[in-house]
Amino acid sequence: MPELPEVEFAARALRRWLEGRRVASAQAPPSRIFRGSEREAFLRRLPGTRLTWVERRGKILLLGFTENVGVLSHLGMTGKWIRVPKGAPPPSHVRASLELDDGEKVVYRDPRLFGRLAVHPADALLDLPEVRALGPDPLVDGIDPEALHARLARSGRPVKVAIMDQGVIAGIGNIQATEALFRAGLHPARPASSLTLAEARRLVDAIRASIEDTLVAQGDGDSIVYVEEDRSQDPFRIYGRAGTPCPRCGTPLEKLELGGRTSVFCPRCQPL
Ligand SMILES: [Zn+2]
């Protein structure tokens, strides 16, 4: 499932493919990635525009086009933006596509349809309630350890559940939370309020390092493989590896259920 690094990959790719190019036409069969009249707005507003900027906040992509046309894209569980060269067959499960003036297409593929596309004025995208509700983005804003420590001190939840709350930190999901807590040596079930300031600092550094390592592993090509699609390319240290030896100390990794999600941890490196 896409988290901050996968969405950042999409943002960088969309900038490369679309920035300054003219949208010749837009297509989208009816599907539930659009709500209400969003599909008609997508089909009517996009043709003739050019992409001028792409921003990412947490897991939300924001695309600004000329004529004050803006698109919000949430990749859900299986969404991906894909470049289709002129004349090449499109992939399956395409829910929306933008044809550029040279015949190349940029398409949104989403087999499971948990993603979302919405059209808004470009100058209103960053002020949308769902964007404003996000906590600091680790790459865009940086996370202030003292502010995070103060926020966690008021939370009765396990630290892993707290840091996956998009209002606490934007963009962290199960993978990055699992990896960051391992790097920081923190047990995922620790009450968030029990973290010391020093531990919060370690956690902030670990989140940043985990995201950056994931971005480096993804490279800067045109396509990305989600971990659910092919585990052989997965760059993660402990995510999904319960029962295998800890990469640091060799103790078998264990798992527990937290907030409905499986959490892998090392009982030795991450004592409770
Ligand atoms: Zn260990």
Side-chain angles (χ1 to χ4, degrees):
M1 189 187 303
E3 299 184 17
L4 190 154
E6 293 77 23
V7 183
E8 177 66 20
F9 182 95
R12 293 175 183 180
L14 287 168
R15 278 186 204 116
R16 279 201 310 276
W17 301 335
L18 282 176
E19 228 159 41
R21 318 260 319 260
R22 186 174 164 275
V23 176
S25 67
Q27 294 88 31
S31 81
R32 64 184 162 94
I33 66 159
F34 295 102
R35 312 279 191 273
S37 59
E38 297 290 357
R39 178 174 161 267
E40 292 143 52
F42 182 85
L43 297 175
R44 194 181 67 244
R45 298 296 309 279
L46 270 298
T49 62
R50 291 172 194 271
L51 182 88
T52 50
W53 55 268
V54 178
E55 290 277 335
R56 181 195 52 75
R57 291 291 183 280
K59 304 178 197 174
I60 298 177
L61 278 170
L62 303 168
L63 285 66
F65 295 83
T66 53
E67 295 170 51
N68 201 26
V69 176
V71 172
L72 177 149
S73 164
H74 197 295
L75 303 177
M77 293 179 69
T78 53
K80 268 185 201 182
W81 286 95
I82 296 171
R83 190 177 72 93
V84 181
K86 184 179 183 179
S92 59
H93 306 295
V94 169
R95 310 303 181 187
S97 86
L98 296 174
E99 185 170 5
L100 306 179
D101 45 14
D102 64 358
E104 186 170 297
K105 284 182 179 170
V106 173
V107 305
Y108 176 69
R109 174 178 196 264
D110 192 349
R112 296 190 61 187
L113 289 163
F114 287 106
R116 193 155 53 87
L117 282 180
V119 178
H120 297 279
D123 62 7
L125 287 173
L126 285 163
D127 288 324
L128 292 173
E130 65 190 288
V131 177
R132 293 186 72 104
L134 296 171
D137 181 287
L139 297 189
V140 178
D141 312 300
I143 306 169
D144 173 35
E146 292 186 14
L148 178 66
H149 180 247
R151 178 88 194 237
L152 295 179
R154 300 195 302 270
S155 172
R157 297 178 291 183
V159 61
K160 176 158 178 274
V161 176
I163 63 172
M164 287 171 60
D165 179 339
Q166 300 302 295
V168 175
I169 302 174
I172 306 298
N174 199 22
I175 297 174
Q176 294 299 325
T178 297
E179 294 288 302
L181 289 166
F182 173 70
R183 287 167 184 256
L186 295 169
H187 193 287
R190 273 274 300 273
S193 57
S194 74
L195 264 65
T196 64
L197 178 56
E199 287 173 328
R201 285 189 199 286
R202 244 163 50 211
L203 181 55
V204 167
D205 290 344
I207 288 169
R208 176 108 199 171
S210 176
I211 288 170
E212 286 181 348
D213 280 2
T214 309
L215 280 170
V216 168
Q218 284 162 352
D220 51 10
D222 272 4
S223 68
I224 185 170
V225 178
Y226 294 162
V227 60
E228 296 82 3
E229 298 170 319
D230 181 4
R231 285 235 50 166
S232 68
Q233 298 187 35
D234 123 40
F236 307 117
R237 295 186 179 180
I238 70 162
Y239 174 77
R241 300 195 200 282
T244 69
C246 167
R248 192 185 292 152
C249 75
T251 304
L253 297 170
E254 295 180 7
K255 62 179 176 184
L256 57 81
E257 198 70 11
L258 279 177
R261 308 294 298 276
T262 300
S263 293
V264 180
F265 65 100
C266 171
R268 187 162 166 204
C269 298
Q270 298 166 268
L272 188 58

PDB file of all heavy atoms in Angstrom, residues 182 238 245-253 265-270, ligand 1:
ATOM      1  N   PHE A 182      11.601   0.067  14.659  1.00  0.00           N
ATOM      2  CA  PHE A 182      12.733  -0.858  14.751  1.00  0.00           C
ATOM      3  C   PHE A 182      14.046  -0.078  14.792  1.00  0.00           C
ATOM      4  O   PHE A 182      14.912  -0.313  15.639  1.00  0.00           O
ATOM      5  CB  PHE A 182      12.724  -1.837  13.574  1.00  0.00           C
ATOM      6  CG  PHE A 182      13.945  -2.710  13.508  1.00  0.00           C
ATOM      7  CD1 PHE A 182      14.157  -3.705  14.443  1.00  0.00           C
ATOM      8  CD2 PHE A 182      14.904  -2.509  12.519  1.00  0.00           C
ATOM      9  CE1 PHE A 182      15.304  -4.507  14.396  1.00  0.00           C
ATOM     10  CE2 PHE A 182      16.048  -3.297  12.462  1.00  0.00           C
ATOM     11  CZ  PHE A 182      16.245  -4.295  13.401  1.00  0.00           C
ATOM     12  N   ILE A 238      12.459  -5.147   8.508  1.00  0.00           N
ATOM     13  CA  ILE A 238      11.696  -6.136   9.289  1.00  0.00           C
ATOM     14  C   ILE A 238      10.241  -6.237   8.868  1.00  0.00           C
ATOM     15  O   ILE A 238       9.561  -7.197   9.220  1.00  0.00           O
ATOM     16  CB  ILE A 238      11.773  -5.874  10.822  1.00  0.00           C
ATOM     17  CG1 ILE A 238      10.998  -4.611  11.220  1.00  0.00           C
ATOM     18  CG2 ILE A 238      13.214  -5.820  11.290  1.00  0.00           C
ATOM     19  CD1 ILE A 238      10.685  -4.571  12.723  1.00  0.00           C
ATOM     20  N   PRO A 245      15.164 -14.127  11.366  1.00  0.00           N
ATOM     21  CA  PRO A 245      16.085 -13.514  12.342  1.00  0.00           C
ATOM     22  C   PRO A 245      16.152 -12.002  12.211  1.00  0.00           C
ATOM     23  O   PRO A 245      16.139 -11.471  11.106  1.00  0.00           O
ATOM     24  CB  PRO A 245      17.448 -14.139  11.979  1.00  0.00           C
ATOM     25  CG  PRO A 245      17.164 -15.289  11.091  1.00  0.00           C
ATOM     26  CD  PRO A 245      15.859 -15.011  10.412  1.00  0.00           C
ATOM     27  N   CYS A 246      16.228 -11.323  13.362  1.00  0.00           N
ATOM     28  CA  CYS A 246      16.417  -9.872  13.377  1.00  0.00           C
ATOM     29  C   CYS A 246      17.714  -9.538  12.634  1.00  0.00           C
ATOM     30  O   CYS A 246      18.748 -10.148  12.896  1.00  0.00           O
ATOM     31  CB  CYS A 246      16.507  -9.398  14.826  1.00  0.00           C
ATOM     32  SG  CYS A 246      17.095  -7.705  15.004  1.00  0.00           S
ATOM     33  N   PRO A 247      17.690  -8.566  11.711  1.00  0.00           N
ATOM     34  CA  PRO A 247      18.904  -8.238  10.958  1.00  0.00           C
ATOM     35  C   PRO A 247      20.004  -7.642  11.839  1.00  0.00           C
ATOM     36  O   PRO A 247      21.168  -7.605  11.442  1.00  0.00           O
ATOM     37  CB  PRO A 247      18.429  -7.216   9.922  1.00  0.00           C
ATOM     38  CG  PRO A 247      17.139  -6.675  10.434  1.00  0.00           C
ATOM     39  CD  PRO A 247      16.533  -7.762  11.276  1.00  0.00           C
ATOM     40  N   ARG A 248      19.659  -7.214  13.053  1.00  0.00           N
ATOM     41  CA  ARG A 248      20.657  -6.616  13.929  1.00  0.00           C
ATOM     42  C   ARG A 248      21.209  -7.632  14.931  1.00  0.00           C
ATOM     43  O   ARG A 248      22.406  -7.695  15.146  1.00  0.00           O
ATOM     44  CB  ARG A 248      20.047  -5.418  14.661  1.00  0.00           C
ATOM     45  CG  ARG A 248      21.060  -4.553  15.384  1.00  0.00           C
ATOM     46  CD  ARG A 248      20.381  -3.450  16.179  1.00  0.00           C
ATOM     47  NE  ARG A 248      19.747  -2.450  15.326  1.00  0.00           N
ATOM     48  CZ  ARG A 248      18.693  -1.721  15.691  1.00  0.00           C
ATOM     49  NH1 ARG A 248      18.134  -1.899  16.880  1.00  0.00           N
ATOM     50  NH2 ARG A 248      18.178  -0.826  14.877  1.00  0.00           N
ATOM     51  N   CYS A 249      20.316  -8.449  15.555  1.00  0.00           N
ATOM     52  CA  CYS A 249      20.792  -9.317  16.648  1.00  0.00           C
ATOM     53  C   CYS A 249      20.501 -10.796  16.425  1.00  0.00           C
ATOM     54  O   CYS A 249      20.957 -11.633  17.203  1.00  0.00           O
ATOM     55  CB  CYS A 249      20.176  -8.870  17.977  1.00  0.00           C
ATOM     56  SG  CYS A 249      18.435  -9.347  18.158  1.00  0.00           S
ATOM     57  N   GLY A 250      19.732 -11.152  15.409  1.00  0.00           N
ATOM     58  CA  GLY A 250      19.489 -12.559  15.104  1.00  0.00           C
ATOM     59  C   GLY A 250      18.335 -13.200  15.843  1.00  0.00           C
ATOM     60  O   GLY A 250      17.943 -14.323  15.529  1.00  0.00           O
ATOM     61  N   THR A 251      17.774 -12.509  16.835  1.00  0.00           N
ATOM     62  CA  THR A 251      16.600 -13.034  17.551  1.00  0.00           C
ATOM     63  C   THR A 251      15.424 -13.136  16.561  1.00  0.00           C
ATOM     64  O   THR A 251      15.245 -12.241  15.746  1.00  0.00           O
ATOM     65  CB  THR A 251      16.212 -12.064  18.697  1.00  0.00           C
ATOM     66  OG1 THR A 251      17.344 -11.885  19.546  1.00  0.00           O
ATOM     67  CG2 THR A 251      15.041 -12.595  19.513  1.00  0.00           C
ATOM     68  N   PRO A 252      14.630 -14.233  16.631  1.00  0.00           N
ATOM     69  CA  PRO A 252      13.488 -14.298  15.707  1.00  0.00           C
ATOM     70  C   PRO A 252      12.542 -13.112  15.911  1.00  0.00           C
ATOM     71  O   PRO A 252      12.177 -12.783  17.043  1.00  0.00           O
ATOM     72  CB  PRO A 252      12.804 -15.618  16.082  1.00  0.00           C
ATOM     73  CG  PRO A 252      13.873 -16.440  16.730  1.00  0.00           C
ATOM     74  CD  PRO A 252      14.768 -15.457  17.450  1.00  0.00           C
ATOM     75  N   LEU A 253      12.163 -12.490  14.806  1.00  0.00           N
ATOM     76  CA  LEU A 253      11.220 -11.366  14.870  1.00  0.00           C
ATOM     77  C   LEU A 253       9.843 -11.887  15.248  1.00  0.00           C
ATOM     78  O   LEU A 253       9.458 -12.982  14.858  1.00  0.00           O
ATOM     79  CB  LEU A 253      11.160 -10.645  13.519  1.00  0.00           C
ATOM     80  CG  LEU A 253      12.463  -9.991  13.056  1.00  0.00           C
ATOM     81  CD1 LEU A 253      12.350  -9.526  11.598  1.00  0.00           C
ATOM     82  CD2 LEU A 253      12.833  -8.818  13.959  1.00  0.00           C
ATOM     83  N   PHE A 265       8.200  -6.844  15.190  1.00  0.00           N
ATOM     84  CA  PHE A 265       9.210  -6.185  16.028  1.00  0.00           C
ATOM     85  C   PHE A 265      10.222  -7.203  16.502  1.00  0.00           C
ATOM     86  O   PHE A 265       9.977  -8.416  16.447  1.00  0.00           O
ATOM     87  CB  PHE A 265       8.544  -5.500  17.236  1.00  0.00           C
ATOM     88  CG  PHE A 265       7.888  -6.466  18.196  1.00  0.00           C
ATOM     89  CD1 PHE A 265       8.522  -6.841  19.376  1.00  0.00           C
ATOM     90  CD2 PHE A 265       6.654  -7.025  17.905  1.00  0.00           C
ATOM     91  CE1 PHE A 265       7.936  -7.747  20.255  1.00  0.00           C
ATOM     92  CE2 PHE A 265       6.051  -7.946  18.774  1.00  0.00           C
ATOM     93  CZ  PHE A 265       6.701  -8.300  19.945  1.00  0.00           C
ATOM     94  N   CYS A 266      11.373  -6.734  16.984  1.00  0.00           N
ATOM     95  CA  CYS A 266      12.368  -7.612  17.581  1.00  0.00           C
ATOM     96  C   CYS A 266      12.235  -7.505  19.089  1.00  0.00           C
ATOM     97  O   CYS A 266      12.403  -6.416  19.651  1.00  0.00           O
ATOM     98  CB  CYS A 266      13.780  -7.211  17.155  1.00  0.00           C
ATOM     99  SG  CYS A 266      15.039  -8.122  18.085  1.00  0.00           S
ATOM    100  N   PRO A 267      11.941  -8.619  19.773  1.00  0.00           N
ATOM    101  CA  PRO A 267      11.728  -8.547  21.226  1.00  0.00           C
ATOM    102  C   PRO A 267      12.992  -8.130  21.986  1.00  0.00           C
ATOM    103  O   PRO A 267      12.901  -7.635  23.110  1.00  0.00           O
ATOM    104  CB  PRO A 267      11.301  -9.982  21.589  1.00  0.00           C
ATOM    105  CG  PRO A 267      11.776 -10.838  20.476  1.00  0.00           C
ATOM    106  CD  PRO A 267      11.780  -9.965  19.250  1.00  0.00           C
ATOM    107  N   ARG A 268      14.158  -8.278  21.362  1.00  0.00           N
ATOM    108  CA  ARG A 268      15.401  -7.904  22.043  1.00  0.00           C
ATOM    109  C   ARG A 268      15.808  -6.445  21.758  1.00  0.00           C
ATOM    110  O   ARG A 268      16.151  -5.704  22.666  1.00  0.00           O
ATOM    111  CB  ARG A 268      16.511  -8.865  21.615  1.00  0.00           C
ATOM    112  CG  ARG A 268      17.767  -8.660  22.393  1.00  0.00           C
ATOM    113  CD  ARG A 268      18.675  -9.871  22.288  1.00  0.00           C
ATOM    114  NE  ARG A 268      19.990  -9.518  22.758  1.00  0.00           N
ATOM    115  CZ  ARG A 268      21.094 -10.135  22.399  1.00  0.00           C
ATOM    116  NH1 ARG A 268      21.022 -11.163  21.544  1.00  0.00           N
ATOM    117  NH2 ARG A 268      22.262  -9.765  22.865  1.00  0.00           N
ATOM    118  N   CYS A 269      15.744  -6.062  20.485  1.00  0.00           N
ATOM    119  CA  CYS A 269      16.134  -4.689  20.124  1.00  0.00           C
ATOM    120  C   CYS A 269      15.057  -3.662  20.487  1.00  0.00           C
ATOM    121  O   CYS A 269      15.341  -2.465  20.564  1.00  0.00           O
ATOM    122  CB  CYS A 269      16.423  -4.577  18.632  1.00  0.00           C
ATOM    123  SG  CYS A 269      17.786  -5.608  18.075  1.00  0.00           S
ATOM    124  N   GLN A 270      13.814  -4.140  20.634  1.00  0.00           N
ATOM    125  CA  GLN A 270      12.697  -3.225  20.930  1.00  0.00           C
ATOM    126  C   GLN A 270      11.976  -3.699  22.194  1.00  0.00           C
ATOM    127  O   GLN A 270      10.820  -4.100  22.141  1.00  0.00           O
ATOM    128  CB  GLN A 270      11.715  -3.179  19.762  1.00  0.00           C
ATOM    129  CG  GLN A 270      12.296  -2.651  18.445  1.00  0.00           C
ATOM    130  CD  GLN A 270      11.400  -2.935  17.269  1.00  0.00           C
ATOM    131  OE1 GLN A 270      11.528  -3.956  16.604  1.00  0.00           O
ATOM    132  NE2 GLN A 270      10.463  -2.042  16.988  1.00  0.00           N
TER     133      GLN A 270
HETATM  134 ZN    ZN B   1      17.087  -7.596  17.299  1.00  0.00          ZN
END
